[in-house]
Amino acid sequence: MERKNGMAGGNKGGTLGDETRATHAGNHPHRNHGVINPPVYRASTILYPDVAALEQVNKDRLSRTAYGRYGTPTVSALEEAVTALEGGGRAIVLSSGLAAITATLMQHLSAGDHLLMVDTVYGPARGFCDKVLAKFGVEVTYYDPLIGGAVAELIRPRTRIVYMEAPGSLTFEMQDIPAIVRAAHQAGALAMMDNTWATPLYFKPFSHGVDIIVHAATKYIVGHADVMMGIVVCRDELYRPLKLGIHGLGHGASPDDCYLAIRGLRTLPVRLARNGENALALAHWLKQRPEVARVMHPALPDDPGHGIWKRDFAGSSGLFGIVLHPCPPGALAAMLDGMRLFGMGASWGGYESLMLPVNPAASRTATKWDAAGPTLRLHAGLELIDDLIADLEDGFARLAAAKT
Ligand SMILES: Cc1ncc(COP(=O)(O)O)c(C=O)c1O
């Protein structure tokens, strides 16, 4: 991190807090005329001053800015910032969270290999396993997110990756990451994790032994619902083949989008704290409502995943789920159609609140989802909590009116 007027030396031990890293990491103002934010370097062609420089790049494409797809200094600035927050390794930026997942899996798996995939993985990643990996002869076994160290019993000689996501997509189960990582490593497999929900601020996968971290930066890192982006962060020794493999597949990221992602990252700690605070307040409020059968939020003391969350995570973000008591589809539609503040749409992690009906049963094979009533995924935005509660209160009134 670059010193600014001698001010950015860090605290006494020389280590910086996450808030400080999020504020400064990746900025090099004095390489850019004193401009604070990394400028947008747009490029496809990169010119070399002489044959010697060209030959050097041909020998090692990662040694300098070589071609637009490999990333310009704007892309590198984002990679540097995310690496600083994850506490090490090397980062690679791609054009979506799903691309980060699929390209990393493709790079590490070959025909005949075996992947252990958590049953509660983000749905389209599951689709990739079933449709694409299967086509290329990779076997996939889905495992119960609550399996813990017993995942060892599912590991085969050709298991290359044990993949985790915590909490689980749509249903928010917590995973015992250290126990699963231990089992993977004992068998010589890599431990890979989707850390989108917690962001690097609330969970540090590297400190728990994870080898490869993926982020849908589309969510909290960008934070404004206006950019698609994925980031892989891996241990140093995995970086070179992964970077070459990812760009060999043709992936890259737009410098303009990386500029916006860096801008989002600067306010991540304050936004995430507010998202988390609003989500927890909503979760507590919803637990008291007669229409709600169940609230799925690991920071609630009576949530089944609370013990693991408390042990391993430093905070909770804005996404959680609820199950309603059974009601006619028309009544649910009356509630959802009339929401003033909660938008209905995919993605999450922006400044705004969202509420979406979801169907976990459609994407589970190792476990069963048999909730009797509808499941909703909520994202708490940055609005005033009283306004969000009033919107939900009105929604429940519409639901009740439509039932009668
Ligand atoms: C947990 C999780 N991982 C990955 C993704 C994929 O990210 P993207 O939409 O940027 O492809 C999503 C998207 O919703 C997600 O929720």
Side-chain angles (χ1 to χ4, degrees):
M1 198 173 300
E2 187 167 294
R3 207 166 250 274
K4 297 187 189 80
N5 310 324
M7 278 166 47
N11 64 28
K12 267 196 176 152
T15 53
L16 298 172
D18 276 350
E19 293 83 350
T20 310
R21 289 175 204 265
T23 306
H24 293 281
N27 276 2
H28 299 286
H30 300 305
R31 290 185 204 162
N32 295 300
H33 309 279
V35 172
I36 291 179
N37 293 320
V40 179
Y41 286 92
R42 290 196 191 93
S44 51
T45 301
I46 306 292
L47 298 177
Y48 308 109
D50 48 38
V51 171
L54 178 67
E55 282 174 354
Q56 177 56 35
V57 163
N58 284 341
K59 260 193 255 155
D60 182 5
R61 300 214 141 245
L62 305 186
S63 64
R64 54 162 282 176
T65 304
Y67 180 56
R69 195 171 55 237
Y70 286 78
T72 69
T74 318
V75 183
S76 311
L78 175 61
E79 291 171 342
E80 186 183 328
V82 172
T83 302
L85 281 175
E86 284 292 7
R90 297 287 301 270
I92 305 162
V93 176
L94 302 85
S95 59
S96 74
L98 185 59
I101 297 167
T102 60
T104 304
L105 290 176
M106 283 196 91
Q107 175 57 26
H108 285 97
L109 296 165
S110 312
D113 284 347
H114 177 237
L115 165 68
L116 270 172
M117 176 56 90
V118 65
D119 203 33
T120 44
V121 66
Y122 170 63
R126 186 185 188 101
F128 169 79
C129 292
D130 294 344
K131 295 195 185 91
V132 183
L133 288 184
K135 198 169 72 179
F136 288 105
V138 174
E139 276 196 81
V140 182
T141 303
Y142 294 97
Y143 69 88
D144 184 336
L146 307 182
I147 198 168
V151 77
E153 289 159 30
L154 301 178
I155 293 180
R156 302 179 193 169
R158 291 288 298 264
T159 304
R160 296 278 179 253
I161 293 183
V162 180
Y163 185 106
M164 297 159 281
E165 181 183 325
S169 269
L170 309 182
T171 44
F172 301 93
E173 295 85 348
M174 290 303 298
Q175 292 199 257
D176 190 341
I177 305 288
I180 294 171
V181 167
R182 261 195 309 278
H185 286 172
Q186 269 164 16
L190 291 171
M192 176 171 170
M193 180 189 177
D194 185 328
N195 195 29
T196 303
W197 183 87
T199 84
L201 297 180
Y202 290 166
F203 185 67
K204 301 283 185 204
F206 283 145
S207 331
H208 293 88
V210 171
D211 304 293
I212 304 171
I213 306 161
V214 284
H215 287 285
T218 309
K219 321 298 179 201
Y220 286 118
I221 290 176
V222 165
H224 294 74
D226 52 3
V227 170
M228 300 295 299
M229 184 167 290
I231 304 178
V232 187
V233 195
C234 62
R235 284 196 286 104
D236 289 337
E237 57 271 36
L238 300 173
Y239 173 71
R240 195 180 163 74
L242 185 55
K243 170 101 175 163
L244 292 170
I246 282 176
H247 295 299
L249 282 169
H251 290 291
S254 140
D256 295 74
D257 286 346
C258 289
Y259 181 92
L260 289 172
I262 295 167
R263 197 158 76 166
L265 188 73
R266 300 297 175 221
T267 58
L268 178 63
V270 279
R271 282 187 289 106
L272 199 61
R274 171 73 168 205
N275 291 118
E277 191 184 304
N278 274 356
L280 206 49
L282 289 177
H284 280 291
W285 183 81
L286 284 159
K287 258 183 95 64
Q288 312 304 321
R289 291 294 307 193
E291 301 84 354
V292 177
R294 192 173 153 200
V295 179
M296 298 168 290
H297 189 312
L300 288 178
D302 60 352
D303 187 272
H306 186 68
I308 288 181
W309 173 80
K310 209 167 161 191
R311 185 190 68 189
D312 295 341
F313 283 54
S316 57
S317 64
L319 195 75
F320 67 103
I322 58 173
V323 178
L324 297 180
H325 288 297
C327 62
L332 181 65
M335 175 183 179
L336 296 176
D337 291 355
M339 300 306 293
R340 283 176 296 118
L341 300 175
F342 284 86
M344 192 165 32
S347 205
W348 45 278
Y351 51 83
E352 79 292 11
S353 290
L354 299 167
M355 184 156 53
L356 188 70
V358 294
N359 179 17
S363 54
R364 302 285 184 270
T365 48
T367 57
K368 223 176 156 57
W369 183 254
D370 50 13
T375 306
L376 301 176
R377 189 182 72 178
L378 281 85
H379 180 252
L382 309 180
E383 300 91 337
L384 186 70
I385 187 68
D386 293 348
D387 294 338
L388 293 177
I389 287 176
D391 201 21
L392 287 172
E393 222 158 24
D394 292 348
F396 284 134
R398 284 191 301 279
L399 184 133
K403 271 204 304 199
T404 52

